[in-house]
Amino acid sequence: MDECQSAIPAHDGDLHVVAAAHHIVKALGTTKNLSDDLRKILIDLDAHLSLITSNIDCKGGKGFVEVEERLKRVERKIVIWESDRIMIWDSGPKEASDYLEAVDEVQTLIDSLRGLSMNENQKQKELLHRASSLLQMAMSRLEEELIHMLVKHKQQSEPTYIPSPSSQRNVVYNESVVSLDNESAKEASSKNSCSDECGEYIVDLVPEHVIPDIKSIAKVMFASDYGQEFCEAFIGVRKEALEQHFDILENGKLSIEDVLKMEWCSLSTEMNKWTWSMKIIFCVYLMSEKRLCDQVLGEFGSVNSFCFLEIAKTTILCLLNFGEAIAMGPQEPEKLLRLLDMYETLADLVIDIDALFSEDGGSFVRLEFHKLLEGLADSVKAAFNAFGVAVSSNGSLYPFPGGGVHPLSKYVMNYISMFPEYCSTLNLLLEDQHSDVASLVSEPQCGPTASLSTSCPMACHLRSITSSLESNLHKKSKLYKDEALQHIFLMNNLHYMVQKVKGSELRPFFGDEWIRKHNAKFQQHEMNYERVTWSSVVLLLKDDNPGSSSLSKSAFKEKCKGFSVAFEEVYKNQTSWCIPDPQLREDLRISTSLKVVHAYRTFLGRNPAHVDDKCIKHTVEDVEKLLLDLFEGSPRSLRNSRRMMKT
């Protein structure tokens, strides 16, 4: 058989039909306003008809002259850019369009040449080899153009749409420091939240006007069987961009061992960063990355989800590794708030994670994050239980100076004041322990008449913790040798607990009955203090002979001396005692004054003949002023009393 033989028309009539068709195709190709797809079809048809004509001409000795001429023309268009390192798409849309048309022409020639039977036709093989080499050169150039385009137009700015996390939320207790005071507790209680709809944070990772150019490169490369090369270039640039954004969020690539060895202060900071990063990475970058992949690769089937997964994989594994390290580590009480933040963040995001990685290839991502959510839930429960144990087991060797509010009380009440914002989560996670704890809490709020707020699992757990705190405080009060100071200590701490409940979002979870009961408790300690301290002092002024009108001078002198000695002893001791709350301190001073000053004034009034005698060391006004020095927490003597400083 002839080496140029192929499926060609055999009769003159057929040849005329081919020639006419070729003429019509060329005429249609000059028509304006043709769509890109239709123009490409006409170009392909023109090339195929040319090859049929060339194959016919081969029998006449002309060979593949026209094919070679066409190949030379597109070769010039493609090779000229190899010597000019200016990027094609930077030169303008016409240059880019001409280059893509040249590549399409090469691909059409290759397809047509392969569609002909070669049968040892060396010219045909030579042209096919030249065209294939030219196509490879063009694909390499398009890969460079793609990388340049993605790098040049990638978004550089750091997102500011999601609220930033609070800088510090560390709560650590020791005997000298309570790191979360009222103000910082208020500031820290402003929890970080992002919208339930992550979609509202989607950004253009590549400007919208660049997307058609990237898609045009994708179509040509996939049509030329260079889809893998396109994906590798696309994944490489986008993966690097995502990791740069991850680095901007100041996330260290920590191993599980690194996390487990970290000191709490550093670990707390990293946990905070993780919570923030999860929101930013998933709500902003991965949502935006998925949209970019859909825009560029949406028409290429599973290639789209494959590229997205490859882009996200490294960053996701970093986030997973840290979360898993936290979940498997020891769960100390101070971790509780950070763990709750981590759990709630992941719980809010898990639906979006499932949607982002819904394809089979992303099943491991979905599975691992669901496992992490379960691990964090267990960690929250463990840390909550550890908190309760820490409250009940906290011991002291020495009494707290001055009988003021103990650091443990501040730590516990400030800590639990932040729990209401986690109410839904804690109710969910503590549900399985609810019945056990409710049976231990004596307040009726957990009974059948309780409201929803006071009977929920979190509320019963909170009252259980404060009950443990009360028991511990009673133990600590026994460290004071002075019974009166025991009552001052318990009065201060119970009053502090009540005020923290009344003045915060804890109130609905404790209920008014709890507040009334604990108001009565600290008021009882107030009365016990007055009884223990002042009853014996006032008793010294009691008239031993009620029937007589006044005491003898010696008896009067003896009682005045006894009262002065006893009063001065109380003054000496109790000026160093502390009642931090101004209103409580004032109330107790007034109550004490009513009892002591009234008794002293009555005593002097019954013995007017001796009032001017030198045996009266303190006037009624002196006693009133001296009582104002009590409970300031600063030891005073009569020499530096308020009375002496004002005289």
Side-chain angles (χ1 to χ4, degrees):
M1 295 177 66
D2 188 276
E3 62 179 5
C4 294
Q5 183 178 356
S6 180
I8 59 172
H11 305 287
D12 290 341
D14 294 334
L15 296 176
H16 289 302
V17 170
V18 171
H22 200 177
H23 178 75
I24 293 171
V25 168
K26 285 185 176 294
L28 289 172
T30 62
T31 304
K32 295 182 179 180
N33 300 324
L34 288 176
S35 67
D36 291 340
D37 290 339
L38 182 55
R39 189 177 299 279
K40 186 177 186 309
I41 291 172
L42 291 173
I43 291 172
D44 292 345
L45 184 55
D46 177 50
H48 189 65
L49 291 171
S50 296
L51 281 172
I52 292 176
T53 305
S54 297
N55 212 13
I56 296 169
D57 291 340
C58 182
K59 289 189 172 183
K62 295 182 181 179
F64 291 90
V65 175
E66 185 177 345
V67 174
E68 188 169 14
E69 284 300 318
R70 292 176 63 184
L71 184 57
K72 285 180 180 179
R73 285 196 298 271
V74 295
E75 194 171 35
R76 284 193 295 271
K77 292 181 180 181
I78 291 173
V79 172
I80 192 173
W81 286 102
E82 295 304 305
S83 58
D84 190 346
R85 298 318 299 166
I86 297 175
M87 304 310 290
I88 300 171
W89 267 260
D90 288 347
S91 300
K94 184 179 185 307
E95 287 78 1
S97 177
D98 290 346
Y99 192 85
L100 290 177
E101 286 183 8
V103 175
D104 282 338
E105 175 78 355
V106 175
Q107 185 60 54
T108 300
L109 290 172
I110 290 174
D111 291 342
S112 298
L113 285 167
R114 285 176 177 166
L116 300 174
S117 176
M118 291 200 182
N119 294 325
E120 302 302 325
N121 188 322
Q122 287 301 120
K123 188 62 175 178
Q124 187 179 358
K125 289 181 179 180
E126 177 190 336
L127 291 174
L128 183 57
H129 177 73
R130 282 177 59 190
S132 298
S133 298
L134 187 61
L135 182 65
Q136 186 175 2
M137 179 189 298
M139 292 298 108
S140 296
R141 181 55 185 254
L142 288 178
E143 188 175 337
E144 290 179 23
E145 294 284 336
L146 171 66
I147 293 172
H148 172 74
M149 200 179 300
L150 290 171
V151 171
K152 177 182 177 181
H153 295 288
K154 71 178 178 181
Q155 185 212 42
Q156 299 291 343
S157 59
E158 180 181 353
T160 55
Y161 340 98
I162 297 179
S164 169
S166 57
S167 59
Q168 293 294 328
R169 201 168 187 163
N170 298 335
V171 186
V172 180
Y173 169 75
N174 60 48
E175 287 291 337
S176 60
V177 176
V178 178
S179 64
L180 191 67
D181 59 19
N182 294 347
E183 288 302 314
S184 59
K186 182 178 179 181
E187 178 182 352
S189 68
S190 176
K191 219 174 58 157
N192 318 315
S193 62
C194 65
S195 170
D196 293 336
E197 297 295 332
C198 276
E200 71 179 79
Y201 299 118
I202 292 178
V203 296
D204 290 329
L205 298 178
V206 173
E208 194 71 30
H209 72 273
V210 180
I211 301 298
D213 294 334
I214 299 174
K215 288 179 68 175
S216 66
I217 294 176
K219 287 181 179 180
V220 169
M221 292 187 73
F222 273 90
S224 303
D225 292 330
Y226 279 80
Q228 181 177 347
E229 286 76 5
F230 178 92
C231 290
E232 289 175 355
F234 185 80
I235 290 169
V237 176
R238 294 309 315 156
K239 180 180 179 181
E240 182 181 355
L242 180 61
E243 291 176 4
Q244 286 175 352
H245 290 305
F246 189 64
D247 291 340
I248 289 173
L249 297 173
E250 298 180 356
N251 287 276
K253 293 180 173 60
L254 303 169
S255 67
I256 291 177
E257 292 75 16
D258 292 334
V259 175
L260 295 176
K261 292 177 182 178
M262 292 182 77
E263 296 293 331
W264 166 238
C265 185
S266 299
L267 183 60
S268 174
T269 300
E270 293 301 323
M271 292 171 76
N272 195 40
K273 287 180 183 178
W274 186 90
T275 302
W276 169 235
S277 298
M278 283 288 290
K279 294 173 184 178
I280 291 295
I281 291 299
F282 280 97
C283 284
V284 180
Y285 289 123
L286 289 185
M287 283 288 187
S288 303
E289 202 70 61
K290 185 66 170 70
R291 185 178 72 169
L292 178 60
C293 287
D294 289 342
Q295 289 173 326
V296 174
L297 299 166
E299 60 190 75
F300 299 109
S302 60
V303 171
N304 181 7
S305 58
F306 168 79
C307 288
F308 175 67
L309 181 59
E310 289 300 309
I311 290 168
K313 188 185 296 182
T314 301
T315 299
I316 286 174
L317 287 177
C318 285
L319 292 168
L320 272 173
N321 285 341
F322 182 85
E324 290 169 355
I326 293 297
M328 71 172 60
Q331 305 309 339
E332 294 92 349
E334 60 265 23
K335 292 183 181 178
L336 182 53
L337 294 178
R338 293 291 188 211
L339 285 168
L340 281 165
D341 284 337
M342 290 178 68
Y343 175 85
E344 288 195 344
T345 295
L346 182 53
D348 289 342
L349 290 173
V350 75
I351 295 177
D352 296 305
I353 293 172
D354 288 346
L356 281 170
F357 300 96
S358 59
E359 305 291 335
D360 290 342
S363 60
F364 87 93
V365 176
R366 302 194 304 272
L367 178 62
E368 289 302 315
F369 274 111
H370 278 274
K371 285 169 59 179
L372 177 56
L373 187 64
E374 293 176 5
L376 290 174
D378 292 338
S379 296
V380 168
K381 289 186 276 189
F384 195 96
N385 292 334
F387 175 55
V389 171
V391 172
S392 61
S393 63
N394 177 269
S396 300
L397 296 176
Y398 305 101
F400 185 65
V405 179
H406 198 278
L408 180 64
S409 299
K410 293 182 179 180
Y411 164 70
V412 172
M413 298 309 296
N414 281 316
Y415 207 178
I416 67 173
S417 69
M418 289 183 284
F419 289 176
E421 56 185 300
Y422 300 99
C423 179
S424 298
T425 297
L426 286 172
N427 282 338
L428 174 67
L429 299 181
L430 299 175
E431 178 64 36
D432 57 346
Q433 306 172 21
H434 178 42
S435 57
D436 295 336
V437 174
S439 64
L440 298 175
V441 181
S442 59
E443 281 82 1
Q445 281 87 350
C446 284
T449 62
S451 69
L452 290 176
S453 294
T454 58
S455 62
C456 69
M458 187 190 80
C460 290
H461 275 79
L462 289 180
R463 291 194 297 276
S464 174
I465 288 171
T466 55
S467 178
S468 296
L469 174 60
E470 284 184 59
S471 298
N472 196 316
L473 290 170
H474 276 279
K475 292 178 184 177
K476 294 182 187 302
S477 72
K478 302 303 180 184
L479 296 172
Y480 297 102
K481 295 179 180 180
D482 192 322
E483 183 183 354
L485 188 51
Q486 293 178 11
H487 291 299
I488 289 292
F489 175 76
L490 290 172
M491 178 195 71
N492 276 327
N493 283 273
L494 288 170
H495 178 267
Y496 179 81
M497 292 170 64
V498 171
Q499 293 305 111
K500 292 299 291 187
V501 169
K502 287 172 63 176
S504 71
E505 294 181 7
L506 290 171
R507 184 166 191 155
F509 301 98
F510 281 80
D512 292 339
E513 180 62 27
W514 185 95
I515 292 174
R516 283 192 292 270
K517 180 177 180 179
H518 285 75
N519 270 331
K521 282 184 177 182
F522 83 74
Q523 289 167 358
Q524 183 62 50
H525 286 294
E526 182 179 352
M527 290 187 290
N528 288 344
Y529 155 77
E530 291 182 352
R531 175 183 55 78
V532 171
T533 299
W534 295 109
S535 293
S536 59
V537 176
V538 172
L539 191 61
L540 293 172
L541 302 174
K542 185 178 180 181
D543 192 350
D544 296 330
N545 188 7
S548 62
S549 59
S550 63
L551 296 172
S552 65
K553 184 175 182 179
S554 60
F556 178 80
K557 183 177 181 180
E558 187 65 26
K559 283 187 176 292
C560 282
K561 182 180 179 182
F563 173 80
S564 296
V565 170
F567 182 84
E568 289 172 11
E569 183 65 23
V570 171
Y571 182 89
K572 176 185 175 183
N573 290 332
Q574 297 191 12
T575 52
S576 65
W577 295 3
C578 179
I579 300 179
D581 185 83
Q583 188 60 52
L584 181 62
R585 184 170 63 245
E586 184 65 21
D587 289 346
L588 187 55
R589 282 172 176 170
I590 292 172
S591 177
T592 300
S593 182
L594 289 173
K595 181 187 294 288
V596 176
V597 173
H598 174 73
Y600 191 48
R601 180 181 285 113
T602 301
F603 169 73
L604 295 179
R606 288 198 310 267
N607 299 276
H610 309 305
V611 169
D612 292 332
D613 198 281
K614 293 181 179 180
C615 64
I616 299 176
K617 189 174 183 179
H618 304 295
T619 65
V620 172
E621 290 74 17
D622 290 339
V623 172
E624 285 181 317
K625 290 178 180 179
L626 289 170
L627 286 174
L628 296 177
D629 289 339
L630 301 184
F631 317 126
E632 292 284 354
S634 301
R636 288 177 180 267
S637 65
L638 288 175
R639 291 182 179 179
N640 65 353
S641 66
R642 297 189 188 201
R643 183 196 69 168
M644 294 301 296
M645 289 189 291
K646 292 180 179 180
T647 58

